[in-house]
């Protein structure tokens, strides 16, 4: 009796798959077909972002709309004699949309809740004539650019398009029922379940109907015969392939069934552009516009069905902080002027409207965008990325590029090129909280923080999407986009540090000036934040171009969350307003590199800065900046005298520790005990033992103070106590004299102890080592409720789902357990308990936990390596 909203239909399908024990994966696509020695299809190469993995199987069913598997397998096809020329695009709107073609209201009006009231809208079908495009993947982009209407609240993700090709050598039939069973299998091991079947165009159009799809699926399912795939597999080479130095990344897995040596197939060249932007989100859409406005032929690749990222499809349709100048100011004014319906709350926007404006700005600048398309690898020429391996719904190929902007937010392109990157979760589990929000077309803004989701982990993303639909069963749908605040990062020519921001460092090559407070969405790891707490005061951060250039790799500039920055600096530079400006500037740099045929590092940054100043994206004084580091000795000396009493002085001490160290050691004798202890803490956090006696005395005389339990949304201030900081600093020093004192503190932990206490005690214990500390950690883990918090089964997690947008308890319990287990494992495991818990978390469906556990287990257990985890 309920309205069959999209979310309900997806949830029903997921629950049926789970109940039947059928594995499924979102955010992946076949990019190669595996065949055995007889030529029979025996598996697929599948891309998840730029990571590629193999699936062996007896039969592949190609149920993709455009026959992507058949294309990769070189199945013979021909053009249909009477292709479909008109489609219908369904949208939800408060009135009839302004559209050049026919507009028809369909069905009854839809009533949805909006806080303490309800709102009503109707579904409309817009007639869509055939559009001439350079690529069929541009179709959705051009449609979205044509519909800029504030009355539209939600567009169907795709426009029903039928395959324009048909299997060759077969007589077309009037309907599916007339097609012989043999026609469904154009080659051994492959079954077709889409519009490539030999049926008339009218019959193909019926495939848009759910009942027809279900009937087709049942028939194809019955045709499957049990078959063992061959053992000697190779990848079928696509037609018109052009060989090159093509590279992909390795996939992150939990339960891989082994490894296979498969040569990456060569691919045909699909297109060539001056600038190719990988990712059309918060930074990628502006990057495409900036490059196109600079006169470069530009293609934006976006895996979703619209541009704009977290501010559009991600539903975080409001700014928190950010420097709203330059391109961002232009965009905001255009959104406000166009949204004639909105009369209140100008700080928010209609996500569909902003998305449409992005598409129109790119189109009007002469740029192109390929929707549902993504880079899954790179084509190299020496140390330069010269093109991207691209997956589209129609097949895979190479797009050659003069320059690439990596706006994936995940450093996908440098990772595929084999360059070093930093994984969230590898060194620690201090990941900023992740959201995946419910979607209600009458509500613009839906922010959430209830999970840890690794965007590059296909199993984790699938688990998260399934869990989100279980959390919000009454909602219209869920966002298709994971709203992550921290991902994989490049190792750049410069790493932006929180000390750079706190000490107000300037650079000669600043490309964007960001502004935000420390919106941490979790806990911090940098030593400076164990001395002073991040607060709500907004800060300014200059982001140099060198932090956007992957070390030892040319042809790529990286924007957003993928840039080279310490993870505790990210909250200040990741605001939407700033990433929009950063992307626009990166597009200009890429265009300049492509047009001049020079390396990214050879671009005239001062010239780019002048243009950005003219566009009011940068302040005029940026053109005169030099690197303000290293700071003069007298400035450091003054900071030593004042002490770490404010962020700027604390940052100066940590950033110039070698110069500050002699003065800090003198401070240990200061008659003011607080100043002496502050100096000892700074020294200890930097691994210096000069103040160890003062630190141990503090631990001896103080009991556990008020700790901190995990909080994501709205987290400001300390994520550890003063005593936590002292015990951590003792661990960083690594002196065996501290073992007995630290053991006393560990023995005082209980089953209700705060996460911050467990975290810092476990880190210190691991760094110091020894059987006595291992025994103490094991005792804590054996307390009731301390273990068993891994998420290993999607159906179990979904059954216990709750509608909380800011869920924290599950993460707090898991964090406490994994830190204690890591400490036990590294300081000398007893009875294998630490290893056993870590092995369990190595399969956790939250990617950060799994990555971290696997990284720890891969570490040889000795004191030197254990100390590195402190």
């Amino acid at each position: 009796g309920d309205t069959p909203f999209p979310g309900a239909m997806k949830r029903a399908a997921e629950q049926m798959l789970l109940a039947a024990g059928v594995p499924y994966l979102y955010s992946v696509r076949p990019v190669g077909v595996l065949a055995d020695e007889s030529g029979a299809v025996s598996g697929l190469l599948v891309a998840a972002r730029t990571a590629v993995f193999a699936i062996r199987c007896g039969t592949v069913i190609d149920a993709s709309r455009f026959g992507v598997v058949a294309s990769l397998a070189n199945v013979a096809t021909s053009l249909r004699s009477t292709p479909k020329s008109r489609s219908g695009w369904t949208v939800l709107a408060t009135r009839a949309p302004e559209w050049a073609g026919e507009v028809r209201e369909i069905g009854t009006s839809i009533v949805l809740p909006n806080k303490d009231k309800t709102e009503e809208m109707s579904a409309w079908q817009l007639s869509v004539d055939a559009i001439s495009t350079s690529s069929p993947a541009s179709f959705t982009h051009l449609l979205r650019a044509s519909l800029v209407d504030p009355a539209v609240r939600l567009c169907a993700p795709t426009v029903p398009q039928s395959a324009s090709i048909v299997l060759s050598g077969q007589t077309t039939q009037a309907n599916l029922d007339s097609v012989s069973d043999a026609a469904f299998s154009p080659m051994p091991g492959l079954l077709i379940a889409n519009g490539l079947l030999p049926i008339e165009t009218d019959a193909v159009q019926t495939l848009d109907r759910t009942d027809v799809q279900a009937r087709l699926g049942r028939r194809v399912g019955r045709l499957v015969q049990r078959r063992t795939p061959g053992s000697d597999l190779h990848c079928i080479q696509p037609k018109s392939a052009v060989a090159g130095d093509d590279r992909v990344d390795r996939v992150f897995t939990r339960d891989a069934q082994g490894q296979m040596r498969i040569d990456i197939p060569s691919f045909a060249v699909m297109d060539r552009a001056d600038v190719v932007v990988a990712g059309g989100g918060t930074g990628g859409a502006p990057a495409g516009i900036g490059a196109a406005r600079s006169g470069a032929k530009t293609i934006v690749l976006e895996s979703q069905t619209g541009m704009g990222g977290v501010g559009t499809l991600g539903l975080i349709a409001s700014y928190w902080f950010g420097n709203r100048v330059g391109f961002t100011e232009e965009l905001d004014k255009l959104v406000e002027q166009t949204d004639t319906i909105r009369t209140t709350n100008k700080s928010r926007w209609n996500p569909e409207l902003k998305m449409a404006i992005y598409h129109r700005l790119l189109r009007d600048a002469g740029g192109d965008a390929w929707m549902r398309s993504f880079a899954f690898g790179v084509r190299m020429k020496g140390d330069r990325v010269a093109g991207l391996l691209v997956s589209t719904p129609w097949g895979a190929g190479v797009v050659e590029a003069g320059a690439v902007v990596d706006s994936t937010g995940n450093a996908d392109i440098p990772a595929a090129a084999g360059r070093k990157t930093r994984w969230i979760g590898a060194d620690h589990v201090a990941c900023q909280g992740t959201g995946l929000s419910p979607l209600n077309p009458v509500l613009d803004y839906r922010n959430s923080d209830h999970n840890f989701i690794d965007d590059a982990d296909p199993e984790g993303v699938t688990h998260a999407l399934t869990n989100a639909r279980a959390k919000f069963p009454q909602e219209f749908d869920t966002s298709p986009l994971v709203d992550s605040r921290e991902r994989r990062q490049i190792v750049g020519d410069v790493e932006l540090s929180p000390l750079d921001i706190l000490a107000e460092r300037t650079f000669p090559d600043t490309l964007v000036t960001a502004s935000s407070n420390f919106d941490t969405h979790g806990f911090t790891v940098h030593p400076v934040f164990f001395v002073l707490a991040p607060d709500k005061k907004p800060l300014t951060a200059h982001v140099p171009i060198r932090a956007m250039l992957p070390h030892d790799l040319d042809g790529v500039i990286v924007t957003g969350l993928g840039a080279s920055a310490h993870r505790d600096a990210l909250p200040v530079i990741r605001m939407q307003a700033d990433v929009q400006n950063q992307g626009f500037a990166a597009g200009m740099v890429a265009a300049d590199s492509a047009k001049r045929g020079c390396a990214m590092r050879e671009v005239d940054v001062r010239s780019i800065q002048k243009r950005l100043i003219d566009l009011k994206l940068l302040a005029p004084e940026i053109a005169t900046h030099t690197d303000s580091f290293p700071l003069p000795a007298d400035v450091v000396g003054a900071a030593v005298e004042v002490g770490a009493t404010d962020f700027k002085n604390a940052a100066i001490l940590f950033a110039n520790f070698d110069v500050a160290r002699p003065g800090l050691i003198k401070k240990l004798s200061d008659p003011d005990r607080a100043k002496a202890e502050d100096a000892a803490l700074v020294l200890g956090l930097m691994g210096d033992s000069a103040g160890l006696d003062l630190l141990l005395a503090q631990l001896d005389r103080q009991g556990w103070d008020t700790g901190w339990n995990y909080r994501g949304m709205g987290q400001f201030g300390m994520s550890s106590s003063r005593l936590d900081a002292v015990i951590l600093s003792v661990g960083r020093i690594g002196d065996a004299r501290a073992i007995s004192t630290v053991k006393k503190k560990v023995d005082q932990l209980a089953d209700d102890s705060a996460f911050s206490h467990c975290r810092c005690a476990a880190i210190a214990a691991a760094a110091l080592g020894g059987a006595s500390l291992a025994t103490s950690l094991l005792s804590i883990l054996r307390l009731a409720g301390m273990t068993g918090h891994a998420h290993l089964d999607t159906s179990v997690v979904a059954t216990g789902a709750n509608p909380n947008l800011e869920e924290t308890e599950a993460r707090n319990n898991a964090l406490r357990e994994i830190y204690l287990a890591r400490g036990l494992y590294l300081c000398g495991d007893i009875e294998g308990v630490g290893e056993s818990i870590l092995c369990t978390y190595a399969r956790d469906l939250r990617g950060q936990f799994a990555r971290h556990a696997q990284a720890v287990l891969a570490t040889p257990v000795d004191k030197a390596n254990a100390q590195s985890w402190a």
Side-chain angles (χ1 to χ4, degrees):
D2 295 330
T3 305
F5 288 151
M9 299 180 73
K10 295 172 188 175
R11 185 172 62 255
E14 289 162 345
Q15 295 305 316
M16 293 170 71
L17 287 167
L18 290 171
V22 179
Y24 58 98
L25 285 176
Y26 291 123
S27 302
V28 299
R29 185 181 287 141
V31 294
V33 175
L34 301 178
D36 62 17
E37 56 276 8
S38 71
V41 173
S42 298
L44 296 171
L45 286 186
V46 180
R49 306 186 77 109
T50 52
V52 174
F53 59 98
I55 298 176
R56 292 180 62 191
C57 57
T59 301
V60 172
I61 300 174
D62 185 352
S64 64
R65 180 174 287 272
F66 305 110
V68 63
V69 178
S71 171
L72 293 168
N74 296 327
V75 170
T77 60
S78 56
L79 287 174
R80 289 190 171 277
S81 57
T82 54
K84 184 179 179 182
S85 61
R86 173 168 288 197
S87 304
W89 189 20
T90 303
V91 302
L92 298 181
T94 55
R95 55 163 169 75
E98 298 177 2
W99 184 248
E102 178 185 348
V103 178
R104 180 171 62 89
E105 189 171 10
I106 56 175
T108 58
S109 51
I110 298 172
V111 179
L112 294 167
N114 184 354
K115 297 180 181 177
D116 57 351
K117 59 182 180 179
T118 60
E119 286 194 26
E120 187 174 317
M121 63 183 61
S122 296
W124 307 82
Q125 190 168 75
L126 314 182
S127 65
V128 177
D129 293 325
I131 297 177
S132 175
T133 65
S134 58
S135 166
S138 306
F139 185 78
T140 301
H141 158 59
L142 295 174
L143 277 183
R144 288 196 178 276
S146 302
L147 183 62
V148 182
D149 187 336
V152 176
R153 306 301 304 193
L154 187 67
C155 298
T158 58
V159 180
Q161 293 173 268
S162 301
S164 60
I165 55 177
V166 62
L167 296 174
S168 296
Q170 300 189 39
T171 304
T172 56
Q173 305 296 322
N175 53 58
L176 283 169
D177 295 335
S178 304
V179 178
S180 67
D181 287 352
F184 282 83
S185 182
M187 62 189 298
L190 177 63
L191 290 169
I192 299 294
N194 52 39
L196 271 65
L197 288 168
I199 52 178
E200 301 292 346
T201 300
D202 289 345
V204 172
Q205 294 182 34
T206 67
L207 293 179
D208 294 332
R209 286 169 38 183
T210 305
D211 60 326
V212 176
Q213 282 280 324
R215 192 167 76 249
L216 172 61
R218 283 192 292 270
R219 181 175 178 187
V220 174
R222 286 194 294 268
L223 295 176
V224 175
Q225 297 178 351
R226 185 175 295 276
R227 173 179 170 271
T228 301
S231 57
D232 185 15
L233 303 186
H234 64 278
C235 196
I236 298 174
Q237 284 285 344
K239 294 177 181 177
S240 306
V242 177
D245 181 7
D246 296 339
R247 305 179 191 179
V248 296
D249 198 9
R250 290 183 62 177
V251 73
F252 172 73
T253 59
R254 292 163 178 79
D255 295 305
Q257 303 301 305
Q259 296 187 17
M260 300 168 58
R261 180 168 293 280
I262 298 289
D263 290 334
I264 301 170
S266 300
F267 294 97
V269 175
M270 303 171 76
D271 208 333
R272 203 238 174 243
D274 298 321
V275 175
V276 179
V277 182
T282 315
I289 296 166
R293 286 184 179 176
S294 299
K297 178 185 176 181
T298 303
I299 297 175
V300 177
L301 306 171
E302 173 52 49
S303 62
Q304 298 285 339
T305 58
M307 295 198 299
V310 299
T312 57
L313 289 169
L315 305 177
I316 305 181
S318 177
Y319 294 131
W320 174 242
F321 273 90
N323 192 12
R324 303 172 201 177
V325 297
F327 174 76
T328 287
E329 183 179 22
E330 174 196 347
L331 180 64
D332 292 348
K333 287 181 178 179
L334 189 55
V335 171
E336 184 174 333
Q337 292 166 2
T338 309
D339 196 352
T340 55
I341 293 176
R342 188 180 305 277
T343 57
T344 60
N345 204 350
K346 294 287 187 181
S347 65
R348 294 186 178 178
W349 55 80
N350 174 343
E352 285 289 335
L353 181 66
K354 185 168 183 175
M355 191 188 314
I357 289 173
Y358 269 132
H359 284 273
R360 180 162 291 183
L361 288 175
L362 179 63
R363 183 200 68 182
D364 291 351
D368 196 4
W370 294 6
M371 297 295 99
R372 293 180 292 160
S373 302
F374 61 95
F376 68 91
V378 297
R379 174 156 290 184
M380 301 291 294
K381 284 189 178 179
D383 289 329
R384 182 175 70 87
V385 174
L388 300 180
L389 308 184
V390 178
S391 171
T392 78
W394 291 265
V398 176
V399 176
E400 295 179 339
V404 172
V405 181
D406 183 338
S407 290
T408 62
N410 205 61
D412 283 345
I413 307 308
R419 295 314 190 261
K420 184 178 179 181
T421 55
R422 296 188 184 92
W423 275 112
I424 52 169
D427 297 329
H428 48 71
V429 202
C431 176
Q432 297 181 53
T434 314
L436 218 172
S437 297
L439 186 159
N440 180 340
V442 303
L443 297 175
D444 295 336
Y445 176 85
R446 301 297 290 274
N447 200 354
S448 63
D449 181 342
H450 56 80
N451 208 338
F452 288 151
I453 308 170
D454 182 341
D455 302 64
D457 168 21
E459 293 172 287
V461 170
T462 301
H463 170 73
L465 285 164
T466 303
N467 187 48
R469 279 188 270 276
K471 282 175 71 69
F472 312 117
Q474 305 303 318
E475 297 280 359
F476 182 86
D477 202 351
T478 52
S479 166
L481 182 72
V482 172
D483 285 327
S484 52
R485 300 169 172 94
E486 183 176 356
R487 303 181 191 170
R488 176 172 55 180
Q489 297 169 286
I490 63 169
V491 175
D493 292 349
V494 165
E495 180 187 86
L496 192 66
S497 163
L499 303 180
D500 297 329
I501 298 170
L502 297 171
E504 302 172 2
R505 183 177 182 180
T506 60
F507 300 93
D509 57 336
T510 292
L511 208 59
V512 64
T513 299
S515 176
S516 178
N517 60 12
F518 276 100
D519 182 27
T520 60
H521 278 266
F523 55 101
T524 51
V525 301
H526 196 282
V528 73
F529 294 122
F530 287 92
V531 177
L532 294 171
D535 57 27
K536 293 187 176 183
K537 179 183 176 183
L539 299 161
T540 296
H542 300 299
V543 181
I545 189 174
R546 286 170 294 161
M548 301 164 65
L549 299 178
H551 189 60
D552 290 337
L553 182 66
D554 189 30
V556 181
I557 185 168
V558 180
T559 72
L561 298 180
S564 179
H566 187 281
R567 56 93 49 198
D568 286 343
L570 274 181
V572 183
I573 66 170
R574 65 164 171 77
M575 293 297 144
Q576 289 188 59
D578 295 322
V579 175
Q580 288 167 179
N581 278 333
Q582 184 193 44
F584 187 85
M588 292 172 57
V589 171
D592 192 67
S593 171
K595 288 192 297 182
R596 292 177 52 208
C598 68
M600 292 279 189
R601 289 171 178 81
E602 297 172 358
V603 168
D604 186 346
V605 178
R606 287 300 190 191
S607 174
I608 296 289
Q609 285 178 336
K610 183 178 184 305
R611 290 163 58 191
L612 294 173
I613 290 169
D614 291 342
L615 293 170
K616 296 183 170 51
L617 195 150
L618 288 177
E621 60 267 22
I622 295 296
T624 64
H625 279 178
T626 58
D627 195 333
S628 58
F629 273 24
L631 293 170
D634 60 331
V635 174
V636 179
V640 171
E641 285 303 311
V642 174
T645 55
D646 62 46
F647 265 131
K648 186 170 184 178
N649 281 319
I652 290 172
L653 297 179
F654 280 101
N656 302 271
F657 180 73
D658 289 343
V659 177
R661 181 176 179 273
L664 289 169
I665 292 176
K666 288 182 181 179
K667 281 290 179 183
L668 297 175
S669 303
D670 197 299
D672 186 329
R673 187 182 187 90
K675 289 184 178 180
E677 291 180 345
D678 283 350
L681 180 60
V682 172
L683 287 163
L685 288 168
M686 294 300 287
D688 192 295
S689 63
L692 178 60
D693 290 340
L694 277 175
L695 296 171
L696 293 178
Q698 288 183 71
L699 291 180
D700 275 331
R701 74 170 185 268
Q702 293 179 15
W704 281 112
D705 49 9
T706 301
W708 178 86
N709 282 317
Y710 180 83
R711 179 182 179 184
M713 188 83 78
Q715 164 58 24
F716 294 94
M718 273 292 192
S719 55
S720 60
S721 69
R722 174 73 179 200
L723 200 68
D724 291 330
V726 173
I727 199 169
L728 180 69
S729 67
V730 168
R732 282 179 176 265
I733 292 170
D735 193 312
R737 289 178 295 159
I739 290 177
S740 61
T741 303
V742 171
K743 176 176 168 54
K744 292 177 185 176
K745 284 291 173 286
V746 177
D747 288 339
Q748 294 168 9
L749 294 173
D751 58 1
D752 61 349
S753 291
F755 161 62
S756 68
H757 293 342
C758 295
R759 170 196 173 199
C760 291
I763 292 173
L768 293 168
S772 63
L773 285 169
T775 300
S776 296
L777 290 175
L778 179 60
S779 297
I780 303 304
L781 281 166
R782 283 180 168 163
L783 295 174
M786 296 298 287
T787 59
H789 301 293
H791 285 183
L792 305 174
D793 188 323
T794 297
S795 59
V796 172
V797 175
T799 299
N802 64 69
N804 191 347
L805 286 169
E806 302 174 24
E807 188 176 351
T808 59
E809 183 179 359
R811 286 179 287 179
N812 188 74
N813 290 337
L815 284 165
R816 194 169 61 164
E817 180 182 4
I818 198 171
Y819 265 96
L820 289 168
R822 184 186 80 174
L824 173 58
Y825 177 76
L826 291 174
C827 77
D829 207 351
I830 298 177
E831 300 176 18
V833 172
E835 182 178 9
S836 176
I837 293 173
L838 289 170
C839 285
T840 299
Y841 274 98
R843 295 182 291 110
D844 196 290
L845 290 166
R846 295 161 296 186
Q848 288 82 350
F849 287 119
R851 283 189 194 276
H852 185 67
Q854 291 185 18
V856 177
L857 290 167
T859 302
V861 181
D862 56 47
K863 186 168 182 181
N865 283 312
Q867 175 69 20
S868 71
W869 292 100

